[in-house]
Amino acid sequence: MNKNSSGNPGVAGKPPFESAAAAVPLRRPRRFRVDVGTIVSAVALAQSLLLVSLGYWGSQRLVSRIGTSAHKANHDRTQDKVLAFLQKAESVVNAVASAPSLRPAGDNSERTSELLWTLLAQSPELDSIYVANDAGQMLMALRYPTPAMRHIERGPDFTTETWHYKRPPEAESDAQNRYATQRIEAFRSSYDPNKRGWYLQACKAQGPIWTPPYVFAAAQELGVTYALPGKRRYAEGSTQSLVVAGDVSLGRLSGFVRQFSSTAGYGDSALLSADFRVLARSDQQGALHKLEAPTGVLGALHDHMMAGGTAGSGSDTAFSFAYEGRGYLVQTSFIPSTGWQLVSWVPEDMLLGDLRRAVLWGLLVALGFLAIALFMSLKLSRLVTSPVENLSHIARRIGLLELDNLPREPSRVLEIQHLDQALDDSARSLKAFSKFVPVDVINQLIAEGHALAPNGSPRRITVMFTDVEGFTSISESLDTDVLVGMLTQYFNLAAGVFARHGGVIDKFIGDGIMVLWGAPADLPDAEYKACLAALELHIEMDELNRQWAEQGLPEFRTRVGLHTGVVIAGVLGSNDRLSYTAFGDVINVASRIEGINKQLGTQVLMSQVTFAGLRGRLHTRRIEELVELRGRQTRMVLYELMTS
């Protein structure tokens, strides 16, 4: 980082500042910067994107609400039909239970049989209707597996079953013919109605119940039963406990659910029992022969409900979820009378696909117009901001004190003309001023974020002092112009050497130079680099002295003193005149070591501290006798750096 006070370039055709920058790279913090045109375009783009995003977001929310509302309407229709289905089954059983002469056996059993058969024919929801008493007698009207009236009489050892086979309840004939018995079968069995689950649960509840799914004894198929307990006091004074019940097979329930789902709209539905078993589902054909946990979409949906704590909840819920990369809308509702849960689901793309595609096309068209508008605004803004950008580059070069060959920026805009002229005036003033200040030090301090105000901090550095041997006698023998020219060449050469090895010139002191290694920026291995600079300085001076000798000019023999230690380094001076320098005992010792060269007849001397930093990498010679420095009470061990 060196430029001498005259501002001339260093040796080897390389400016000193570039050499120092190569030796000690400056790190500037990266900051996000944009030009005016980009700001204007970004603001317009942000506003447009905000409006487009809000519009798209609002459209998507509206589409989602439409889809949710449509699906909820479908679900509610399915729920209403399921409830109507269950209520119809319940009302038939309640009607049977309210018959005053209800008897499963005895004198009035034929009247009860006709009632059960008539109600079964009018109730497609039910597979069978029956009544049983606490004496083990039961009368049952069946639609499935075959139309029949089943009479059951429980004895001490066995049960007698008598089956009166009928025409199907839906057969086209008059009522009497439909009820006419086609054939009769009787056999023994172990069937006991008083031990069946529907009977025991109804008696225990003392009220209407829907049983959990179980296998029907007659049909050998899964189903549920609605049972209603009651009592009868007959004319002869006897009292009996009765249970009236109606069976609904899961196959029939699934058929109704499929019918309801298909008429309600898109999607599928399912009924889940209180223990989360599938009672009926519209997405699978056929009757259920065994209870299974939910599978497929319904299984994933149920897992989602379990994770969210909504499975089996007594409240309606609505949510969306994804299964195998496809989104679904879901509605659930609780059926209090049975403890079941009705679940409906529909793929979002099936319900909302067309609407969302229309919204997406609208978004793409809006973005296309926005891109065209943005392109045009950028093109127009560049016509204005391009000159400003060029002027900013010029100002940046002025800030870095790169003042040679600065371009001009002509413009028809008056403000840009004024700014261009002001920058040119500033550059010419700074170019004149830079000849008198250490420009490189200023650049380095600014790059490292140091404030240009009086300050200082401890630093471990290596200090070099140089001096030209016999300069007083040389200066007396030469004209002033010749002497100044020789000094300028000497200083340029030395500045280039120091810069290549990371040294920073603190000041020129007559024919001497004070150089710092390790300030203002830290420099690893400062001792070694300072010694290399000293060796290269003598090599370069040998060539320069040869040229001077050819011109009949005297030689400059440079003496060097090196010392390493902690100093106070920083920007020092008054508030209106500052200088970067270092002070402390290390500086004084380095100056005294340089002066010992004259006494010992050496060219490069260093302290023991600097010698230790070399770690034997350069050829040195220990000065055997302890040397006393002027102004110090203790003697020092010095080492000579061998230059040849």
Side-chain angles (χ1 to χ4, degrees):
M1 171 221 72
N2 267 302
K3 234 182 210 182
N4 57 31
S5 59
S6 65
N8 294 330
V11 295
K14 191 173 184 180
F17 177 69
E18 293 181 6
S19 301
V24 185
L26 302 179
R27 294 183 179 178
R28 291 182 178 273
R30 294 183 178 179
R31 297 182 176 88
F32 178 70
R33 299 181 177 90
V34 293
D35 57 28
V36 175
T38 304
I39 292 175
V40 174
S41 301
V43 171
L45 178 62
Q47 291 176 341
S48 302
L49 287 178
L50 179 61
L51 293 176
V52 172
S53 300
L54 287 175
Y56 181 71
W57 175 77
S59 300
Q60 289 287 62
R61 282 182 60 86
L62 179 60
V63 168
S64 297
R65 287 186 178 181
I66 292 174
T68 302
S69 299
H71 183 48
K72 187 175 189 308
N74 293 338
H75 176 83
D76 290 343
R77 283 195 293 271
T78 302
Q79 181 182 6
D80 291 341
K81 292 184 178 181
V82 170
L83 290 175
F85 173 86
L86 296 176
Q87 288 171 0
K88 179 65 180 296
E90 293 173 0
S91 66
V92 171
V93 174
N94 292 337
V96 173
S98 63
S101 59
L102 188 66
R103 278 179 180 264
D107 296 337
N108 291 328
S109 62
E110 186 64 22
R111 188 179 301 177
T112 301
S113 178
E114 291 178 357
L115 174 64
L116 294 179
W117 187 256
T118 301
L119 291 177
L120 180 65
Q122 297 175 356
S123 307
E125 297 84 2
L126 294 173
D127 288 283
S128 61
I129 309 173
Y130 46 94
V131 57
N133 60 22
D134 52 5
Q137 297 170 325
M138 182 173 127
L139 184 59
M140 182 178 193
L142 298 97
R143 184 195 313 272
Y144 181 81
T146 181
M149 288 300 303
R150 182 185 181 193
H151 299 262
I152 295 177
E153 187 81 27
R154 178 66 182 170
D157 300 320
F158 56 86
T159 297
T160 301
E161 294 195 29
T162 305
W163 288 63
H164 295 254
Y165 293 98
K166 310 287 185 178
R167 293 178 181 273
E170 299 83 6
E172 294 184 1
S173 60
D174 57 62
Q176 289 182 334
N177 289 330
R178 282 200 303 270
Y179 185 65
T181 300
Q182 303 297 309
R183 58 189 175 89
I184 299 175
E185 289 184 5
F187 55 87
R188 295 179 179 181
S189 73
S190 61
Y191 186 87
D192 186 353
N194 297 146
K195 294 182 179 180
R196 301 297 291 177
W198 51 269
Y199 186 91
L200 297 174
Q201 293 173 38
C203 292
K204 181 179 180 181
Q206 291 298 305
I209 56 101
W210 279 96
T211 67
Y214 69 99
V215 178
F216 293 158
Q220 291 298 304
E221 183 177 326
L222 281 171
V224 292
T225 298
Y226 177 73
L228 180 65
K231 288 183 181 295
R232 285 292 184 277
R233 183 182 297 276
Y234 300 109
E236 64 272 19
S238 63
T239 302
Q240 286 186 342
S241 296
L242 301 177
V243 174
V244 181
D247 290 340
V248 179
S249 67
L250 296 189
R252 184 172 298 276
L253 192 59
S254 295
F256 274 103
V257 169
R258 280 192 293 272
Q259 178 185 353
F260 300 156
S261 296
S262 62
T263 58
Y266 297 114
D268 292 290
S269 300
L271 280 172
L272 301 181
S273 65
D275 59 350
F276 310 125
R277 300 284 183 162
V278 178
L279 300 178
R281 57 190 301 175
S282 63
D283 60 337
Q284 291 183 1
Q285 299 293 327
L288 298 177
H289 296 285
K290 62 178 180 178
L291 288 177
E292 296 179 345
T295 58
V297 178
L298 182 59
L301 185 156
H302 181 256
D303 292 341
H304 183 89
M305 294 168 59
M306 292 292 290
T310 59
S313 65
S315 58
D316 296 353
T317 59
F319 59 91
S320 60
F321 84 111
Y323 175 70
E324 293 184 347
R326 195 176 189 187
Y328 290 85
L329 297 177
V330 181
Q331 292 280 341
T332 71
S333 57
F334 184 72
I335 300 177
S337 62
T338 60
W340 301 344
Q341 194 165 31
L342 176 64
V343 182
S344 300
W345 66 94
V346 60
E348 289 186 2
D349 55 356
M350 181 184 297
L351 188 64
L352 307 176
D354 293 339
L355 284 175
R356 286 186 170 170
R357 279 189 288 273
V359 171
L360 182 60
W361 273 110
L363 174 66
L364 293 177
V365 171
L367 290 177
F369 281 113
L370 178 60
I372 294 173
L374 179 63
F375 175 76
M376 295 179 63
S377 65
L378 285 174
K379 293 291 290 184
L380 292 175
S381 64
R382 293 300 296 176
L383 296 177
V384 178
T385 59
S386 182
V388 177
E389 180 69 19
N390 294 336
L391 289 175
S392 70
H393 290 310
I394 295 172
R396 190 175 297 111
R397 289 184 59 185
I398 294 175
L400 295 174
L401 299 179
E402 299 174 1
L403 306 174
D404 295 327
N405 302 319
L406 290 176
R408 299 295 299 271
E409 184 61 35
S411 175
R412 294 183 180 275
V413 181
L414 185 61
E415 289 78 3
I416 295 178
Q417 286 183 358
H418 292 168
L419 180 58
D420 177 67
Q421 185 61 48
L423 290 176
D424 184 65
D425 294 341
S426 300
R428 286 189 282 107
S429 299
L430 285 173
K431 191 171 184 178
F433 175 73
S434 64
K435 303 296 183 181
F436 301 95
V437 296
V439 174
D440 306 332
V441 173
I442 293 174
N443 282 333
Q444 195 162 354
L445 290 174
I446 293 175
E448 294 184 357
H450 293 285
L452 295 181
N455 64 79
S457 61
R459 277 186 177 275
R460 178 179 174 82
I461 66 171
T462 296
V463 185
M464 173 189 288
F465 276 90
T466 70
D467 181 57
V468 177
E469 180 181 338
F471 183 76
T472 302
S473 59
I474 293 174
S475 62
E476 292 175 352
S477 63
L478 296 174
D479 292 338
T480 302
D481 294 341
V482 176
L483 181 62
V484 171
M486 294 180 68
L487 275 176
T488 301
Q489 285 185 276
Y490 169 63
F491 286 152
N492 285 341
L493 182 147
V497 171
F498 299 149
R500 285 193 292 275
H501 293 281
V504 176
I505 295 179
D506 180 274
K507 61 175 65 72
F508 295 97
I509 311 170
D511 61 301
I513 308 172
M514 175 180 169
V515 191
L516 309 178
W517 273 267
D522 293 335
L523 183 65
D525 213 5
E527 299 91 338
Y528 180 65
K529 293 176 181 178
C531 291
L532 289 179
L535 293 175
E536 186 176 337
L537 176 62
H538 281 89
I539 294 173
E540 297 283 350
M541 283 305 300
D542 289 343
E543 176 61 22
L544 184 58
N545 285 328
R546 186 187 62 77
Q547 297 175 12
W548 284 346
E550 293 176 354
Q551 301 172 21
L553 298 175
E555 296 182 351
F556 278 11
R557 288 174 52 83
T558 303
R559 297 183 297 214
V560 176
L562 293 163
H563 185 39
T564 301
V566 178
V567 302
I568 302 298
V571 179
L572 302 175
S574 64
N575 289 332
D576 56 358
R577 188 182 183 97
L578 302 172
S579 174
Y580 186 87
T581 188
F583 65 90
D585 185 59
V586 173
I587 306 298
N588 297 330
V589 170
S591 177
R592 300 289 189 270
I593 291 174
E594 184 277 321
I596 294 297
N597 282 295
K598 181 177 181 180
Q599 174 183 334
L600 299 178
T602 55
Q603 287 188 298
V604 181
L605 286 177
M606 68 184 76
S607 66
Q608 190 172 11
V609 180
T610 304
F611 168 78
L614 292 181
R615 299 192 296 276
R617 286 173 287 179
L618 296 175
H619 184 40
T620 58
R621 180 180 68 87
R622 177 187 172 102
I623 305 300
E624 293 301 331
E625 60 185 38
L626 295 178
V627 179
E628 180 180 355
L629 300 182
R630 181 168 55 87
R632 297 182 64 88
Q633 297 180 354
T634 58
R635 295 175 177 269
M636 293 187 65
V637 176
L638 299 181
Y639 291 82
E640 179 185 7
L641 180 63
M642 309 306 293
T643 58
S644 60

